Amino acid sequence: MAETNNSMVMEFILLGFSDLPSLQGFLFGIFLIIYISILVGNGLIIIITKVTAALQTPMYFFLGNFAFLEICYTSVTIPRMLSDLWTQKKNISLIACAVQLGFFLSIGGTESFFLAVMSYDRYVAICKPLYYPLIMNPKKCNQLVTGAWVIGIPIQVAQTCQLFSLSFCGSNKLNHVFCDIPPILKLACGDTSLNELSVFCGAMIFVTSPALLILWSYINIIKTILMLPSAMGRRKAFSTCSSHLIVVGLFYGSAFIAYFRPKSSHSPEVDKVLALFYTIVTPLFNPLIYSLRNRDVIAAIKQLIPK
């Protein structure tokens, strides 16, 4: 590896939290606890949606798959962060960085579409209740899950290949906690305007499009709920959607801020905080949000614990 302006970079150095040398051990412990909590919390959601007879519905089928998706999402970044904090060996090859970024983008795109699928499920359940069993049949549910998983892979892999086809020269210090597009672009040589346009288009496809579908779904859901004659019926309908809305707000709120804010306002510190928010905080709180606000899930957990 060389670090001069006339040589090509063969690996990056993930700076991470190197500006906090006295807190490396503390941060390792915090992230380890968070990762274990994510695995346990989402793993519990997967188990109860599989073994509890009362939860064998499309809504909980999607929730179980979403919990598995969250485990995959965090496993792309946190183990590497833990390794860097423990060993203090922060170098990562270009190939390893490209692999991490490819998985991160693909799974992130899947999560975005998965939230849209879950909002569509709530739309059909509330706005078309008589047709719900017919529309959300097992075959349709499997098709929606498969589509959410595979729809973004070709585009995100192509975007990753396009990014790493650039030349990297000069500094090889990647001022981030994992391999992400904005900090990598800062280290690229030459004109990156085409790559920036590609990133913007990708964000429009994988963030804005599902967000608009979710918005359309909930506009119709709210209209239908407000037309219900019973206050108890309105309250019950809102309660089935509130958990999903909170998760949507956490994920899309941080994603919009991270990828659509002006370039002049970007700073490594803010980028790190936002990255930690949508890769760690959201998956950590998802099991709590869905369990504490859902009586069926709480009842299933109480039945499972004695066993």
Side-chain angles (χ1 to χ4, degrees):
M1 178 190 66
E3 296 181 340
T4 63
N5 288 333
N6 297 322
S7 58
M8 301 304 296
V9 171
M10 301 304 295
E11 64 180 8
F12 293 134
I13 296 177
L14 281 168
L15 296 182
F17 304 99
S18 56
D19 55 335
L20 303 171
S22 60
L23 296 178
Q24 299 295 295
F26 173 76
L27 290 173
F28 175 84
I30 291 295
F31 287 132
L32 180 61
I33 293 171
I34 289 174
Y35 186 49
I36 293 174
S37 301
I38 290 171
L39 295 179
V40 172
N42 287 284
L44 184 60
I45 294 293
I46 294 171
I47 292 172
I48 63 174
T49 55
K50 290 291 184 182
V51 303
T52 307
L55 302 184
Q56 302 304 305
T57 64
M59 175 181 172
Y60 295 106
F61 171 74
F62 292 132
L63 179 57
N65 279 274
F66 186 69
F68 175 71
L69 177 64
E70 292 289 60
I71 291 175
C72 296
Y73 190 48
T74 54
S75 296
V76 173
T77 56
I78 298 183
R80 173 76 202 197
M81 291 166 55
L82 291 173
S83 175
D84 290 345
L85 289 168
W86 180 259
T87 64
Q88 295 300 303
K89 294 180 181 179
K90 301 178 182 297
N91 56 306
I92 181 171
S93 67
L94 293 185
I95 293 177
C97 189
V99 170
Q100 185 186 57
L101 179 62
F103 275 107
F104 174 72
L105 293 177
S106 297
I107 297 176
T110 297
E111 180 161 355
S112 185
F113 280 106
F114 220 102
L115 289 170
V117 167
M118 294 171 75
S119 71
Y120 174 72
D121 171 70
R122 292 299 83 208
Y123 161 76
V124 176
I126 294 174
C127 299
K128 300 179 183 295
L130 297 179
Y131 296 96
Y132 184 70
L134 181 64
I135 297 175
M136 302 304 292
N137 57 71
K139 182 179 179 180
K140 179 60 134 333
C141 292
N142 285 317
Q143 288 175 342
L144 289 171
V145 169
T146 303
W149 271 101
V150 304
I151 191 172
I153 293 177
I155 298 175
Q156 301 292 24
V157 169
Q159 190 171 74
T160 302
C161 293
Q162 182 191 38
L163 179 61
F164 279 88
S165 65
L166 295 171
S167 298
F168 300 96
C169 55
S171 175
N172 67 334
K173 295 179 180 178
L174 195 66
N175 195 3
H176 207 54
V177 291
F178 58 87
C179 291
D180 201 1
I181 294 176
I184 293 175
L185 277 175
K186 291 180 181 179
L187 301 182
C189 303
D191 183 18
T192 61
S193 57
L194 182 61
N195 298 88
E196 292 173 3
L197 178 61
S198 175
V199 171
F200 180 79
C201 293
M204 290 293 291
I205 294 172
F206 293 99
V207 178
T208 306
S209 298
L212 290 175
L213 178 58
I214 292 171
L215 180 62
W216 174 84
S217 297
Y218 276 101
I219 288 174
N220 286 279
I221 287 171
I222 292 171
K223 287 181 180 179
T224 303
I225 290 175
L226 293 177
M227 293 172 61
L228 294 176
S230 168
M232 183 177 294
R234 289 194 297 270
R235 195 180 307 114
K236 184 177 180 181
F238 270 121
S239 68
T240 63
C241 302
S242 58
S243 299
H244 183 253
L245 275 175
I246 294 172
V247 173
V248 167
L250 288 173
F251 180 79
Y252 282 105
S254 57
F256 271 112
I257 295 172
Y259 288 98
F260 287 101
R261 74 186 194 277
K263 190 176 180 180
S264 58
S265 66
H266 280 255
S267 70
E269 290 72 22
V270 174
D271 289 343
K272 290 177 187 178
V273 171
L274 287 172
L276 291 176
F277 195 89
Y278 62 75
T279 58
I280 294 180
V281 175
T282 304
L284 175 65
F285 282 102
N286 281 354
L288 293 175
I289 293 169
Y290 278 111
S291 60
L292 295 180
R293 300 182 62 85
N294 192 304
R295 294 180 181 178
D296 293 335
V297 173
I298 293 175
I301 292 174
K302 289 180 178 178
Q303 291 178 359
L304 184 64
I305 289 176
K307 296 179 181 180

